[in-house]
Amino acid sequence: MNRYVIIGGGVAAVGCIEGIRKADTEGSITLISGEKKTVYCRPLISYYLQGKTDFEKMKYRSDEFYEKNNCKLVYDTAVSIDKDAKTVTVSSGEKIPYDKLCVATGSSPFVPPFTGLDNVSAKFSFMTEDDAAEIEKAVDENSRVLIVGAGLIGLKCAEGLCGRVKSITVCDLAERVLSSILDEPCAKLMQNVLEENGISFMLGDSAEKFDANKAYMKSGAVVDFDVLILAVGVRANVSLVKEIGGETERGIIIDEKMKTSVEDIYAVGDCSQGVNALTGQKNVLALLPNAVMQGETAGQNMAGADTVFDKGVPMNAIGFFGYHALTAGIYEGEMTEEKTDDSVKRLFVKDNRLVGFMLLGDIERAGIYTSLIREKTPLDTIDAEAIKISPSLLPFSLKYRKIKLGGSKS
């Protein structure tokens, strides 16, 4: 009977459990979770701050999920892997043996070495349920909040706190919000929405040092605050595999079967660096659906199946105060654009295929575009002009529509 061990308790780990059980109903599964709680949907933590949900409703699977799948939970931190003895050592000193191992350790906040940061008492990251709970305790209606970082994490935190505190200021060295996702015109649309809801920005500027509740900015400005949120960025947790000689770059290098360079060890989710289906290059594709599909692929292969995940593409789903944006793929080739005062649709076509899109405002039925990218559908096999104007399944062949809508396999 195979012994499967998974390090990490997020959605990628859940995908791995489900993948294993598709191919092996008998083997033992042990899941090691340093967060000491069952799986939940991390993107919802900003809605917790808004009071729109609670931790019980944020669960990604029921508490019974693990028992139903005969999965033992170990609430501890994995500190090392012995690839020769095939064991994982946790902080208690226990050594957990494995036949197949999946590393799903996710990522951690990157905190630059700011001068004086140790003297700031109320400072937080914003990546976990515990972070959200601690921030909620620290703020009140008189709090002045400074958020360092105008990426997705920082802006979701700002949205979550809006209306609950006296003021929110977001700073970033970049000249625009969401600089790794949106170009300048699209970023400005999103910034306008955030500013209309009372969030202030200091862009092209950021903190250099701190002194208690004061931030000294590169521009020379001084910002007073009561609560500091550090959302500068994240780094993949690769150390467990790197320390045993596994190949790593920005993430743990994996192939299309989710295998690492170390025998019988797989990696999935935000800690992994897999193949970008559009470019053939290996990227960290940190997105919940990718993590789940990677996990399921790894689980099946760990249990003896032979399957691949070869449809990984960069994607981002963003929304603030009811205004949404969805991006996917790469921004290369010929661009077509439709825009209004509050919406943008940009489609990128290269070599007879849709390779990317950027949608703001109206994102209805964007899944059609995503499917075209993932499946690498030749545009001359469908009514591409109709798809560009209004995404639907009608321009596709009857056979394709039957597969997508009727569950047909052929």
Side-chain angles (χ1 to χ4, degrees):
M1 185 173 71
N2 275 324
R3 299 167 298 179
Y4 305 104
V5 174
I6 304 167
I7 304 175
V11 297
V14 165
C16 187
I17 293 169
E18 293 175 337
I20 290 170
R21 287 297 177 235
K22 282 186 176 181
D24 181 353
T25 60
E26 301 297 329
S28 68
I29 303 176
T30 301
L31 185 143
I32 304 167
S33 175
E35 202 170 342
K36 300 178 175 60
K37 60 183 64 183
T38 55
V39 65
Y40 61 93
C41 194
R42 290 181 188 272
L44 296 180
I45 60 175
S46 64
Y47 298 106
Y48 170 80
L49 285 183
Q50 289 178 290
K52 293 182 176 180
T53 190
D54 57 40
F55 290 152
E56 187 65 27
K57 293 176 182 176
M58 287 166 58
K59 289 182 177 179
Y60 184 71
R61 291 289 185 271
S62 69
D63 290 340
E64 293 75 34
F65 168 81
Y66 303 92
E67 183 178 353
K68 287 179 179 177
N69 285 281
N70 190 23
C71 177
K72 177 184 177 182
L73 291 173
V74 176
Y75 288 134
D76 206 337
T77 302
V79 295
S80 65
I81 299 168
D82 186 329
K83 64 181 180 181
D84 298 317
K86 286 195 168 183
T87 59
V88 178
T89 301
V90 295
S91 61
S92 68
E94 180 185 3
K95 295 182 184 296
I96 300 172
Y98 69 85
D99 296 304
K100 304 288 183 180
L101 173 65
C102 182
V103 178
T105 46
S107 58
S108 297
F110 166 65
V111 179
F114 292 116
T115 301
L117 188 59
D118 290 345
N119 298 322
V120 178
S121 56
K123 58 179 181 290
F124 306 93
S125 297
F126 189 63
M127 288 188 67
T128 68
E129 278 189 358
D130 290 343
D131 292 335
E134 290 300 314
I135 291 170
E136 184 179 45
K137 293 176 187 175
V139 301
D140 59 34
E141 65 273 12
N142 296 312
S143 298
R144 300 161 299 175
V145 177
L146 174 62
I147 300 176
V148 182
L152 181 58
I153 293 172
L155 296 184
K156 290 306 289 186
C157 185
E159 179 190 40
L161 291 172
C162 196
R164 299 193 57 178
V165 297
K166 182 178 181 179
S167 66
I168 302 170
T169 301
V170 180
C171 66
D172 199 300
L173 277 175
E175 298 286 344
R176 63 183 187 271
V177 303
L178 300 166
S179 60
S180 65
I181 301 170
L182 301 178
D183 61 14
E184 185 174 350
C186 292
K188 189 59 181 175
L189 279 175
M190 192 63 77
Q191 183 180 336
N192 290 342
V193 171
L194 294 159
E195 289 177 333
E196 287 167 2
N197 284 275
I199 298 168
S200 300
F201 289 91
M202 299 178 70
L203 299 175
D205 197 8
S206 194
E208 273 195 319
K209 63 179 181 178
F210 297 93
D211 183 7
N213 285 7
K214 291 183 182 292
Y216 294 86
M217 312 298 287
K218 291 184 179 294
S219 65
V222 179
V223 179
D224 294 306
F225 64 88
D226 303 298
V227 175
L228 176 66
I229 311 294
L230 297 166
V232 179
V234 299
R235 286 183 174 173
N237 295 323
V238 304
S239 60
L240 287 172
V241 173
K242 186 175 183 179
E243 287 168 1
I244 58 172
E247 185 181 0
T248 63
E249 291 177 1
R250 293 186 64 186
I252 301 167
I253 300 297
I254 56 173
D255 64 14
E256 292 182 343
K257 295 184 178 182
M258 309 299 108
K259 291 182 177 180
T260 71
S261 61
V262 183
E263 187 177 1
D264 294 327
I265 298 181
Y266 298 71
V268 295
D270 292 6
C271 70
S272 68
Q273 186 170 335
V275 176
N276 181 331
L278 294 173
T279 65
Q281 298 175 345
K282 293 199 172 182
N283 304 133
V284 176
L285 301 172
L287 186 74
L288 189 149
N290 281 340
V292 175
M293 289 185 281
Q294 286 181 329
E296 184 173 335
T297 301
Q300 291 186 59
N301 289 329
M302 290 163 70
D306 185 15
T307 185
V308 300
F309 175 58
D310 57 1
K311 293 180 171 57
V313 297
M315 289 183 61
N316 292 281
I318 314 156
F320 304 102
F321 304 105
Y323 186 77
H324 296 281
L326 193 65
T327 69
I330 55 177
Y331 308 141
E332 297 179 1
E334 179 186 354
M335 183 189 78
T336 59
E337 180 181 72
E338 297 177 23
K339 61 191 302 185
T340 66
D341 289 342
D342 61 357
S343 69
V344 173
K345 178 200 289 185
R346 290 182 182 164
L347 304 178
F348 297 83
V349 174
K350 184 178 182 181
D351 298 330
N352 193 35
R353 288 176 171 80
L354 182 69
V355 296
F357 65 77
M358 190 182 296
L359 308 178
L360 279 82
D362 181 7
I363 62 169
E364 187 176 359
R365 309 203 75 175
I368 298 292
Y369 294 138
T370 305
S371 180
L372 287 172
I373 293 173
R374 285 192 187 278
E375 302 299 330
K376 301 181 180 180
T377 304
L379 295 182
D380 59 9
T381 64
I382 61 173
D383 188 343
E385 291 306 312
I387 286 286
K388 290 178 183 179
I389 296 169
S390 179
S392 75
L393 287 174
L394 287 177
F396 292 87
S397 68
L398 178 60
K399 177 180 176 181
Y400 185 93
R401 296 201 303 272
K402 284 183 176 180
I403 293 172
K404 287 297 181 183
L405 298 178
S408 172
K409 300 297 183 183
S410 60

